[in-house]
Amino acid sequence: MAAMTAALNLTHVVAAEPSDVFDLWTTTAGLDQWWWIHWVNVCRSADPRLGGSYLLEAPDQGITVRGEFTTFDRPSRLAFTWIWADGDGDGPDESVEVRLTPVEIDDSVSTQIELTHSGPWTTAEQPDNYRQGWKFVLNELSEAVANRTT
């Protein structure tokens, strides 16, 4: 089946400043606070710079996501390649762009996340599956921010 180019777009608001949200996305310590925290034995690593790599690996689930930062504009924008690997091997080359915009809610600064995940997918089910996954991890990001102590 031929690949179709598609994009998944999501918007999510997090109760933290853009610089904090950027660091949660791009550092190992940040990712450790929210990415796949519902599973045990997850390896998360990030080299926070343009061209730096990241790795999210859940061996007990048999899945890995890895890639490189292709845009690194702290605190407002980042983009990265996305390679999903599981028991079926590596998925197609995909990309994710994240834009972080400050918004004021109840007299405090929050961040609006605009996420675009693009890939040459072969079925409409693939972006739908990613939509569910992104909503889940973005909610985990919000929870991590809400549970932080200053």
Side-chain angles (χ1 to χ4, degrees):
M1 177 178 260
M4 60 183 179
T5 301
L8 162 64
N9 297 295
L10 288 173
T11 301
H12 186 85
V13 176
V14 177
E17 298 205 15
S19 58
D20 292 337
V21 175
F22 192 93
D23 292 344
L24 287 166
W25 275 91
T26 59
T27 65
T28 301
L31 290 167
D32 280 343
Q33 295 179 49
W34 65 282
W35 195 279
W36 292 343
I37 60 171
H38 60 294
W39 290 329
V40 296
N41 301 323
V42 174
C43 173
R44 302 167 199 89
S45 65
D47 179 8
R49 62 182 176 83
L50 183 62
S53 63
Y54 72 92
L55 173 70
L56 305 162
E57 185 173 32
D60 293 351
Q61 281 65 44
I63 55 175
T64 300
V65 175
R66 67 182 186 282
E68 286 186 0
F69 295 110
T70 56
T71 301
F72 204 86
D73 185 12
R74 186 176 192 273
S76 59
R77 185 171 168 248
L78 69 134
F80 43 94
T81 60
W82 177 278
I83 300 170
W84 176 276
D86 58 23
D88 296 330
D90 286 1
D93 289 341
E94 301 170 19
S95 63
V96 176
E97 179 178 5
V98 179
R99 292 185 179 271
L100 306 172
T101 306
V103 292
E104 190 170 313
I105 298 175
D106 297 328
D107 295 326
S108 64
V109 176
S110 290
T111 300
Q112 178 173 294
I113 299 169
E114 295 175 62
L115 182 140
T116 302
H117 187 149
S118 303
W121 297 312
T122 55
T123 69
E125 182 179 78
Q126 289 164 299
D128 287 344
N129 289 342
Y130 276 133
R131 179 179 306 280
Q132 291 174 21
W134 278 117
K135 284 182 177 182
F136 181 83
V137 295
L138 290 172
N139 284 332
E140 291 294 309
L141 173 60
S142 290
E143 285 294 316
V145 167
N147 293 329
R148 283 193 310 189
T149 56
T150 359

